[in-house]
Amino acid sequence: MQLTGDRFAAGTAVSGNDLSTLPNFPAEIRAPAGTLSGVSSFQLHFADHDVLTPGDAPDVLVAMNPAALRANLRDLAAGGTVIVDTHDFTKRNLVKAGYPADPLADGSLDGFTVHRADLTALTVAAVDEFGLSRKDASRAKNMFTLGLLSWMYGRPAEPTLDYLSKRFAAKPALRDANRAAFTAGWNYGETTEAFAVRYEIPPAPAPAGRYRTITGNLALAYGIVAAGDRSGLPVFLGSYPITPASDVLHELAKLKHFDVTTFQAEDEIAGIGAALGAAWGGALGVTTTSGPGLALKGEAIGLATMLELPLLICDIQRGGPSTGLPTKTEQADLLQAMFGRNGEAPVPVLAARSPGDCFDTAVEAVRIAVTYRTPVLLLSDGYIANGAEPWAVPSAASLPVISPDFATGPNEGDTFLPYLREPDTLARPWAVPGTPGLEHRIGGIEKADRTGDISYDPANHDKMVRLRQAKIDGIAVPPTFVDDPGSSDLLVIGWGSTYGPIGAAIRQARAEGLKVAQAHLRYLNPLPADLGELLRRYPRVLLPEMNLGYGYGGQLALLLRSKFLVDVQSHTQVNGQPFAVHDLVEVIRTQVKGDR
């Protein structure tokens, strides 16, 4: 299902439509087939205009077995279309899915337009000439279905046929069978009288440029490579595989020709330790993880804070606590990113808002890390990581130059002081080991100001802690952009992947005549300098978050209330799914009316 959805999305992008996707799959490697827990789905929303979310309620559901029908039917729009592969609607499979009776015969689907077809049998017949086993032949039914849907929605066939030719180039029988299944599905839609309507969706208007479909994890990988190129630093990724961050490791492992080294460590601690060692050696050190792994990396992040070396830590958030929901999304790591270390160990925290924005956020995070000599935490989440959208490919020349400005010699007379700071950034020198004359002490015990020697002096410790905090507080953050049509009664503020649902809800609220403004934060530490004044400008402030804030009403809301003393109103959920637009619209209506 994930491959089918990915190829439909690719065809949609080629057609010039805007799109947003929501892959949804089990955490188990081999979840029980035919059960609700084993259902894998892929939701896609596309249009001839700007699309912000995968949609609340799909118009079409393709169900390959009873479990898929039962798991997803509740999401389908009233009067929607259901395409069912009848082949697996056996008594045994109905029982496994929890159906007391056959839903295709008991009238429970009367509110929908239902198309019944034995897609498996049609596929097996279409590929019969290629000599595949029955099992391998039936597996091509996803391509048959993709061909049918491509015909229904005017998606071009060539991108998928070309993809199949390349993917199965070493296996001609599978290549030709899958191509035949796709073509048969297309022809089935063309010739059968069951589908009376075929849709044509014109391209969405977009600035001229080169576009591609991109997921958040792929954009993050490309952003890291671009930052390495613009800084002139070799990229070193030390990482341990964890869902949903593993794809960043997979993608960077393919890019050795861009001076990228990937190291799959034996555990999370070794991964960040290797990345920090690479940073000490003059490379762009990067490590990737998800919530449980971030907890394990806490001590090494504190060490990076003490060493004051550039390091990028990417946290692709998922449902927690503990192992939690590995394949579902959540925004519950913000407080861990802010405070999840012993002692006073402040680090900058940035959050990407969409799949494509992961690229820009990665470049900016590296710029801050290198410029200010600090570890930086970049927050994404499972919704962004696995979701896809069209992305305008930037030119390398448009990206900022990031200067590592390595120390090359003594910085005070004939002496090298490793903790002598730049007056504008408070950054210390970055000295590559082995550079003559730049020998210095490094480690996790408190450093003496300027010399970097071990120091237990109370006054020195107080000074160094305050200097490290001042360095983070002094990071230049752009002013907050506010989308306000004028005289709004409510400001809806968000961070991370809530950008799309909030934006779509505000569009709908404004269409109803409600006065609503929107602001979205990329920089969470330090916060924009103008944010407090902005929050006080509005009678009401609403902050939707996919966390509970440990009972305090949202993690960012907790921080904003404590810092700015503004009565920020939280709207929270932790169901492993992105916000539904219609739910946010109802909350906005309530807030505008003043009924909290």
Side-chain angles (χ1 to χ4, degrees), residues 285-301:
V286 183
T287 190
T288 54
T289 191
S290 190
L294 185 62
L296 293 169
K297 294 180 188 295
E299 182 180 2
I301 297 173

Side-chain angles (χ1 to χ4, degrees), residues 3-23:
L3 174 62
T4 307
D6 178 73
R7 298 323 306 165
F8 192 90
T12 297
V14 169
S15 298
N17 301 124
D18 199 14
L19 64 97
S20 179
T21 69
L22 178 61

Side-chain angles (χ1 to χ4, degrees), residues 24 41 43 55-59 61 69-78 112 577:
N24 195 355
S41 66
Q43 184 171 319
D56 287 358
D59 299 300
L61 168 64
L69 179 67
R70 188 171 183 205
N72 295 286
L73 186 64
R74 63 179 179 269
D75 297 326
L76 193 63
F112 305 97
Q577 299 295 319

Side-chain angles (χ1 to χ4, degrees), residues 149-291:
L149 289 174
S150 296
W151 172 84
M152 285 180 63
Y153 288 97
R155 308 295 89 183
E158 290 77 14
T160 296
L161 294 174
D162 291 344
Y163 168 83
L164 293 171
S165 295
K166 293 176 182 177
R167 173 157 183 168
F168 298 110
K171 299 179 179 179
L174 286 178
R175 176 197 64 201
D176 295 342
N178 277 280
R179 285 172 58 93
F182 179 88
T183 303
W186 183 289
N187 293 337
Y188 179 76
E190 184 79 48
T191 57
T192 184
E193 296 181 359
F195 299 93
V197 179
R198 187 178 188 227
Y199 300 90
E200 295 291 341
I201 300 93
R210 184 183 182 191
Y211 288 81
R212 62 157 294 159
T213 303
I214 201 164
T215 65
N217 276 345
L218 182 57
L220 184 56
Y222 286 175
I224 291 168
V225 172
D229 176 80
R230 300 305 284 167
S231 63
L233 298 172
V235 174
F236 180 92
L237 175 72
S239 192
Y240 180 76
I242 184 171
T243 302
S246 298
D247 280 342
V248 183
L249 170 61
H250 300 160
E251 293 298 335
L252 287 175
K254 302 174 185 176
L255 303 174
K256 297 177 183 177
H257 53 291
F258 287 113
D259 203 6
V260 175
T261 300
T262 53
F263 168 58
Q264 181 174 317
E266 66 269 29
D267 56 42
E268 295 281 1
I269 299 171
I272 189 172
L276 183 54
W280 176 64
L284 175 55
V286 183
T287 190
T288 54
T289 191
S290 190

Side-chain angles (χ1 to χ4, degrees), residues 99-168:
Y99 276 119
D102 187 351
L104 303 181
D106 66 1
S108 60
L109 301 180
D110 288 349
F112 305 97
T113 300
V114 182
H115 296 282
R116 302 171 178 85
D118 192 335
L119 301 179
T120 301
L122 290 168
T123 302
V124 171
V127 304
D128 180 63
E129 64 181 287
F130 301 105
L132 301 180
S133 67
R134 170 83 184 191
K135 182 178 181 181
D136 286 341
S138 64
R139 282 177 173 172
K141 65 183 178 181
N142 64 335
M143 287 299 109
F144 184 99
T145 308
L146 180 57
L148 171 59
L149 289 174
S150 296
W151 172 84
M152 285 180 63
Y153 288 97
R155 308 295 89 183
E158 290 77 14
T160 296
L161 294 174
D162 291 344
Y163 168 83
L164 293 171
S165 295
K166 293 176 182 177
R167 173 157 183 168
F168 298 110

